[in-house]
Amino acid sequence: MARFIGVEEIEALAVGAAVLGTGGGGDPYLGKIMAQEAIKEFGPVTLLDPSEVPADALVVPVAMMGAPTVFVEKIPNGDEALHSLRRLEDYLGKKAFAVMPMECGGLNSTIPFVVAARAGLPIVDADGMGRAFPELQMETFSVYGVSGTPMVITDERGNWTLLNTVDNAMMEYIARGVAVRMGGVGHIAEYPMTGDEMRRTSILQTVTLAIELGKAVLESSKKKVSPLIAMEEALIKSDYGKPIILFEAKITDVDRTTAEGFAKGTVNLEGINGSEGHEFRVDFQNENLIAYKGDQVLATVPDLITFIDLETFKPLTTETLRYGFRVACLAIPTPPIMRTEEALKVWGPKYFGYDLPFIPVEKLNEGMIVNGK
Amino acid sequence: MARFIGVEEIEALAVGAAVLGTGGGGDPYLGKIMAQEAIKEFGPVTLLDPSEVPADALVVPVAMMGAPTVFVEKIPNGDEALHSLRRLEDYLGKKAFAVMPMECGGLNSTIPFVVAARAGLPIVDADGMGRAFPELQMETFSVYGVSGTPMVITDERGNWTLLNTVDNAMMEYIARGVAVRMGGVGHIAEYPMTGDEMRRTSILQTVTLAIELGKAVLESSKKKVSPLIAMEEALIKSDYGKPIILFEAKITDVDRTTAEGFAKGTVNLEGINGSEGHEFRVDFQNENLIAYKGDQVLATVPDLITFIDLETFKPLTTETLRYGFRVACLAIPTPPIMRTEEALKVWGPKYFGYDLPFIPVEKLNEGMIVNGK
């Protein structure tokens, strides 16, 4: 079931990762270029099905942490995350069997391919968020009992830090402080785990899903048609639910602030294509969190909420949203492993400060007529 | 030349450390209690003359870093710095032959005794500041080429971090960020070095000096006489110069702010005991930095400037200074190793924002008649 991932699959992966990134996770563009360059230099990367990893083999998620805006200005050497992996291996006294993504949305969907290509290691087709989230303890690995530490964080100058913390919230807190003092970005290896732990705590086959979603979008975009049907085909084979177009609308206003290291704000929209006369709103904190029609809640985190540009049919990240854009607001039901009681404590609407219960998007929109008609 | 340090020597050491702390470095009280408790439980600590350390033996400075005010409220378990030492040994793959203080002023003069007693290790009679300073790169070890990292920082909950940085300023910067996120205080093992490096880069026999200064103060205090003569006897045997009483005066005002993590401010005084009619001023940033008589500079950092209470004849830390206190302002010429061009770049008046050259206090006050008479 293992297969090779080359330059073209990375192209699709970056687009699919923007869909699963729900507006955040960083623009996958630079990560895509880095992964493609590494593959050109070192050859294609083997993508392993989770079932192919031995029970006791060491699997290590690798990623970038910090502000994606800084990442673009302070371009990495490309070997920082690999350095973190090597130092973690030294500390554990064990070599990694494979690396994997910690999230399948945004920038961090492609960063592990840079490490894998350079190290000659395979990547496991799974991740710990099934989307993008802003913090390191927001991972299914953490929810289901894997320790995030020992972890290593390395910067582009060669500074590096090994962390051991009493819990994963403290790991996030200290690592964030280190990343800030490294200039806003650090490259990490964290949540070292066995093959069995990976299978028990991950969202499975999400790299494949992101590649298929990306292909769906790229083909639809070429044909200038909605990618919805093609996306649905990809999602049906996954642990995610059927996608729903919540509304189509025109952006009337984007209100953003940068607060406590996050891009926070609200997108206001007025309905088009059958939703005329209705006002919509999407709140975000790096990622899109809650979608409203007037005062009615249409979808909440951790279900995925993504804007699709109705000109290009491509997904839009939060920082690109502007007055006048015509968009479809797409919701994707998150996999069951993301919706358990213990999982919702970590990333339900309440964690983000909303006095709202989590109600699955397919329930909130039960019997809805697609596109408000 | 090795000798045992027991509970009584620690009593004197804490007082001498307040003299060498130049108003900062944290109140030695809690460190004294911790060291005395550890010695009661585990027995006296061997103090080694620097000449007794083998050339290749591993010597490790251990200390507390962060806000002394937090330290008092968040009382350590006592084994945090030892934990840092053990993790550093693990990383280096070598056992420490001895520990040593990173500074001989304030709290950190006694913390290494807690580690030494618990670990059954000797302490080297030397340090890296010859006084107290607020930052980790302000050490003779750093000035003369020892890398501060690998270093380990541990908190009282068991969180710990290993740092490797490209230079010692970056070590200070990242470690400070970690200490802040550990709640304001961390316990560190840093600047691992050989016996030869220690001899080349340290200020020698400063533990002995602090103990002798402390004994001089305690005895003078009992007799209610000036400790100056007895202090001079202790200093003559050391690398420091002869102490000078810059003035005696009454505090008229203390202006303090807490800015950028430091206690900054100015003490204003009016002369007494022969200095009547003169106004004096001492600027501080944790430690006393510059002493003035009117506009005339009397002493600057890194020479030591310490207030002695004329009621008790004991040294006063900055946070205890109040209106109405009658004090002597004591200056001690710092050792030559602290006054080289490369050293003054790190802790001369310019580093603290003063457009002043460093002129040795004994030159600034050449031919002065002690006490303004």
Side-chain angles (χ1 to χ4, degrees):
Chain A
M1 282 150 93
R3 60 194 175 109
F4 290 117
I5 301 298
V7 169
E8 269 178 54
E9 284 87 355
I10 296 292
E11 195 73 33
L13 173 61
V15 176
V19 174
L20 296 173
T22 69
D27 187 332
Y29 179 76
L30 191 57
K32 178 187 85 173
I33 300 294
M34 285 174 63
Q36 288 177 330
E37 289 302 313
I39 286 172
K40 279 180 206 160
E41 189 174 346
F42 299 98
V45 170
T46 302
L47 182 68
L48 291 180
D49 189 79
S51 63
E52 295 173 293
V53 179
D56 292 331
L58 176 63
V59 180
V60 182
V62 289
M64 188 279 290
M65 77 175 285
T69 43
V70 174
F71 183 73
V72 174
E73 294 181 11
K74 210 166 76 111
I75 296 173
N77 303 321
D79 58 3
E80 293 90 341
L82 176 57
H83 179 272
S84 289
L85 175 67
R86 292 306 187 210
R87 295 297 79 73
L88 188 61
E89 289 176 333
D90 292 346
Y91 178 75
L92 294 169
K94 193 171 180 181
K95 284 286 182 187
F97 174 83
V99 295
M100 69 182 285
M102 74 170 198
E103 58 188 333
C104 64
L107 189 54
N108 276 326
S109 57
T110 48
I111 295 294
F113 285 88
V114 182
V115 177
R118 285 176 174 257
L121 286 174
I123 284 191
V124 182
D125 189 2
D127 81 294
M129 295 184 180
R131 48 171 290 156
F133 273 130
E135 297 178 5
L136 299 185
Q137 82 285 12
M138 294 178 162
E139 308 217 27
T140 45
F141 318 138
S142 179
V143 170
Y144 300 108
V146 177
S147 171
T149 65
M151 81 168 274
V152 175
I153 175 166
T154 301
D155 75 9
E156 82 293 347
R157 293 177 59 204
N159 299 299
W160 65 277
T161 296
L162 171 84
L163 267 65
N164 273 282
T165 55
V166 295
D167 59 42
N168 296 336
M170 197 65 192
M171 168 184 79
E172 156 64 28
Y173 186 60
I174 294 184
R176 191 69 48 182
V178 171
V180 166
R181 294 203 168 206
M182 283 177 166
V185 167
H187 302 264
I188 63 177
E190 51 158 15
Y191 289 98
M193 61 186 123
T194 65
D196 274 349
E197 283 175 319
M198 176 273 296
R199 277 185 289 274
R200 183 175 62 77
T201 67
S202 299
I203 302 151
L204 305 176
Q205 283 126 4
T206 47
V207 176
T208 295
L209 173 64
I211 292 171
E212 293 195 14
L213 284 176
K215 281 184 184 161
V217 170
L218 287 171
E219 278 164 34
S220 308
S221 179
K222 225 179 280 174
K223 298 182 202 150
K224 298 270 177 199
V225 298
S226 163
L228 193 65
I229 306 288
M231 288 170 81
E232 198 172 310
E233 278 170 20
L235 285 161
I236 275 170
K237 290 180 276 176
S238 77
D239 290 337
Y240 294 69
K242 274 177 64 168
I244 301 165
I245 300 284
L246 297 174
F247 55 83
E248 295 186 10
K250 195 179 81 166
I251 297 176
T252 55
D253 183 45
V254 184
D255 177 19
R256 347 165 181 260
T257 57
T258 301
E260 297 144 40
F262 296 111
K264 292 188 182 189
T266 297
V267 189
N268 291 298
L269 312 97
E270 55 184 39
I272 56 171
N273 301 344
S275 290
E276 282 84 357
H278 292 291
E279 301 209 328
F280 300 94
R281 189 172 109 232
V282 174
D283 288 352
F284 59 86
Q285 176 182 327
N286 289 13
E287 287 76 37
N288 298 319
L289 294 180
I290 318 272
Y292 302 88
K293 176 184 188 179
D295 291 334
Q296 182 196 344
V297 173
L298 296 180
T300 78
V301 67
D303 283 333
L304 287 69
I305 301 168
T306 297
F307 288 114
I308 306 284
D309 186 336
L310 286 174
E311 294 268 321
T312 63
F313 291 105
K314 286 189 179 164
L316 291 164
T317 55
T318 307
E319 61 270 23
T320 61
L321 300 176
R322 295 284 182 280
Y323 169 84
F325 275 31
R326 287 159 178 271
V327 297
C329 185
L330 177 79
I332 302 174
T334 201
I337 192 175
M338 299 283 295
R339 290 174 164 190
T340 64
E341 202 177 314
E342 58 260 62
L344 291 171
K345 271 184 207 152
V346 182
W347 46 57
K350 285 201 173 56
Y351 183 86
F352 292 95
Y354 291 86
D355 190 18
L356 290 175
F358 171 73
I359 300 172
V361 63
E362 65 275 21
K363 294 259 183 234
L364 282 171
N365 297 276
E366 212 161 21
M368 81 173 288
I369 299 159
V370 166
N371 203 15
K373 278 178 218 166
Chain B
M1 280 151 93
R3 60 195 174 105
F4 289 118
I5 302 296
V7 169
E8 268 178 54
E9 284 87 355
I10 296 292
E11 194 72 35
L13 173 61
V15 175
V19 174
L20 297 173
T22 68
D27 187 332
Y29 179 77
L30 190 59
K32 179 187 84 174
I33 300 294
M34 286 175 63
Q36 288 177 331
E37 289 302 313
I39 286 171
K40 279 181 205 158
E41 190 175 347
F42 299 97
V45 170
T46 301
L47 182 68
L48 292 180
D49 189 79
S51 62
E52 295 173 293
V53 180
D56 292 331
L58 176 62
V59 180
V60 182
V62 289
M64 188 278 293
M65 78 175 286
T69 43
V70 173
F71 184 71
V72 174
E73 292 180 12
K74 210 167 76 114
I75 296 174
N77 304 321
D79 58 4
E80 293 90 342
L82 176 57
H83 179 272
S84 289
L85 175 68
R86 292 305 187 211
R87 296 296 79 73
L88 188 61
E89 289 176 332
D90 292 346
Y91 179 75
L92 294 169
K94 192 171 179 182
K95 284 285 182 188
F97 174 82
V99 294
M100 68 182 286
M102 74 172 197
E103 58 188 333
C104 64
L107 189 55
N108 275 326
S109 56
T110 48
I111 295 294
F113 284 87
V114 181
V115 176
R118 286 176 172 259
L121 286 175
I123 285 192
V124 183
D125 190 1
D127 81 292
M129 295 184 180
R131 48 170 292 155
F133 274 130
E135 297 178 4
L136 300 184
Q137 84 283 14
M138 295 178 161
E139 309 217 27
T140 46
F141 317 138
S142 178
V143 170
Y144 301 108
V146 178
S147 171
T149 64
M151 81 167 272
V152 176
I153 175 166
T154 301
D155 76 9
E156 81 294 349
R157 293 178 59 204
N159 299 299
W160 65 277
T161 296
L162 171 85
L163 267 67
N164 273 283
T165 56
V166 295
D167 60 40
N168 297 335
M170 197 66 192
M171 168 183 79
E172 156 65 27
Y173 186 60
I174 295 184
R176 190 70 48 184
V178 171
V180 165
R181 295 207 166 203
M182 284 178 165
V185 167
H187 302 263
I188 63 176
E190 51 158 16
Y191 290 98
M193 60 186 125
T194 66
D196 275 348
E197 284 175 319
M198 177 274 297
R199 275 186 290 275
R200 183 175 62 77
T201 67
S202 300
I203 302 150
L204 305 175
Q205 283 126 2
T206 48
V207 177
T208 295
L209 173 64
I211 292 172
E212 293 196 13
L213 284 176
K215 281 184 184 163
V217 169
L218 287 172
E219 278 164 34
S220 308
S221 178
K222 223 179 283 175
K223 298 182 202 154
K224 298 274 178 194
V225 299
S226 163
L228 192 66
I229 306 286
M231 288 171 77
E232 197 173 312
E233 278 171 20
L235 286 161
I236 276 169
K237 290 179 275 174
S238 77
D239 290 337
Y240 295 70
K242 273 177 65 171
I244 300 164
I245 299 286
L246 298 174
F247 55 82
E248 295 185 10
K250 198 181 80 169
I251 297 175
T252 55
D253 185 44
V254 184
D255 177 17
R256 4 165 167 256
T257 57
T258 302
E260 297 143 42
F262 295 111
K264 291 189 183 187
T266 297
V267 188
N268 292 297
L269 313 98
E270 56 185 37
I272 56 171
N273 300 345
S275 290
E276 282 83 358
H278 292 290
E279 300 207 330
F280 300 95
R281 189 172 109 229
V282 174
D283 287 354
F284 60 86
Q285 176 182 327
N286 288 12
E287 286 76 38
N288 298 318
L289 294 180
I290 318 274
Y292 302 89
K293 176 185 187 177
D295 291 334
Q296 181 197 345
V297 173
L298 296 180
T300 77
V301 67
D303 283 334
L304 287 71
I305 301 167
T306 297
F307 288 113
I308 305 286
D309 186 335
L310 287 174
E311 294 267 322
T312 63
F313 292 107
K314 286 187 180 165
L316 290 164
T317 55
T318 307
E319 61 270 24
T320 61
L321 301 176
R322 295 285 182 282
Y323 170 84
F325 275 30
R326 287 158 179 271
V327 297
C329 185
L330 177 79
I332 302 174
T334 200
I337 193 174
M338 298 284 295
R339 290 174 164 187
T340 64
E341 203 178 313
E342 59 261 59
L344 291 171
K345 271 184 207 153
V346 182
W347 48 56
K350 285 200 174 56
Y351 183 86
F352 292 95
Y354 291 86
D355 189 20
L356 290 175
F358 171 74
I359 301 173
V361 62
E362 65 274 19
K363 294 255 186 241
L364 283 170
N365 297 275
E366 212 161 23
M368 82 173 287
I369 298 160
V370 166
N371 203 13
K373 279 177 216 166

